Amino acid sequence: MLIAGAELPEHLWYWIDEQTWAVPLEDGRVRVGITALGLKASGDIYMCRPKSVGSEVEQGRSLGVVELSKSIVSVKSPLSGTVMRVNEALEERPELVHQAPYEAGWLLELAPARLEEERGRLAIGEADIRAAMQRWAWLNQLEGA
């Protein structure tokens, strides 16, 4: 679906306030990244540094940092867990986060700690995603919201 000109795949789970997404993988891990809508609001990313493998992250807390044109921002995790893998391609090509936020631009993979408890705090399913993202885009004064 498109919200304010940004693509938001309906099969992903979204942490709306922080504009991050999660998707369960077949091996039980969860892949995490930044939404296209969040990227539209924040601007270009010049550096991306996710937490290292083995680090523990909590839902709503930092999973790493990104450097924008005028600031360094903490990216908040949509779920709690242990970092099992980071997207090493972002070290050389941080622009992948913008170019393909849901494919090559993902940030890290987690072994979730409290998946069943925490997934209820995420927007899942087209109706929930559309309503929450439209409201977020409107609150952040994005064109087309």
Side-chain angles (χ1 to χ4, degrees), residues 12-57:
L12 300 178
W13 302 352
Y14 295 95
W15 181 253
I16 301 297
D17 291 343
E18 301 299 337
Q19 288 299 302
T20 52
W21 57 266
V23 65
L25 302 174
E26 289 182 13
D27 64 2
R29 293 180 184 184
V30 177
R31 184 168 285 170
V32 174
I34 303 171
T35 71
L37 193 58
L39 293 164
K40 181 176 181 176
S42 65
D44 289 341
I45 292 176
Y46 297 100
M47 179 273 303
C48 183
R49 190 173 301 129
K51 289 200 173 191
S52 58
V53 171
S55 298
E56 298 292 325
V57 297

Side-chain angles (χ1 to χ4, degrees), residues 32-98:
V32 174
I34 303 171
T35 71
L37 193 58
L39 293 164
K40 181 176 181 176
S42 65
D44 289 341
I45 292 176
Y46 297 100
M47 179 273 303
C48 183
R49 190 173 301 129
K51 289 200 173 191
S52 58
V53 171
S55 298
E56 298 292 325
V57 297
E58 295 290 322
Q59 185 179 53
R61 300 265 202 208
S62 180
L63 62 77
V65 295
V66 294
E67 182 178 332
L68 306 171
S69 62
K70 296 181 181 178
S71 63
I72 295 177
V73 177
S74 177
V75 179
K76 306 295 192 240
S77 185
L79 295 166
S80 300
T82 304
V83 177
M84 303 303 290
R85 182 177 172 207
V86 297
N87 186 350
E88 294 175 0
L90 299 180
E91 287 179 35
E92 298 293 322
R93 299 189 56 213
E95 69 274 10
L96 289 172
V97 174
H98 282 278

Side-chain angles (χ1 to χ4, degrees), residues 1 3-4 8 13-19 35 37 121-140 142 145:
M1 87 183 69
I3 305 287
L8 296 161
W13 302 352
Y14 295 95
W15 181 253
I16 301 297
D17 291 343
E18 301 299 337
Q19 288 299 302
T35 71
L37 193 58
R121 298 180 193 130
L122 304 177
I124 299 172
E126 192 217 350
D128 285 347
I129 295 166
R130 183 176 302 281
M133 289 295 193
Q134 285 177 331
R135 184 174 192 286
W136 189 90
W138 179 80
L139 288 170
N140 286 276
L142 294 179

Side-chain angles (χ1 to χ4, degrees), residues 101-123:
Y102 308 112
E103 294 88 26
W106 58 275
L107 301 180
L108 53 78
E109 291 178 3
L110 294 173
R114 295 182 292 280
L115 185 62
E116 291 308 311
E117 170 191 340
E118 293 178 343
R119 71 180 289 226
R121 298 180 193 130
L122 304 177

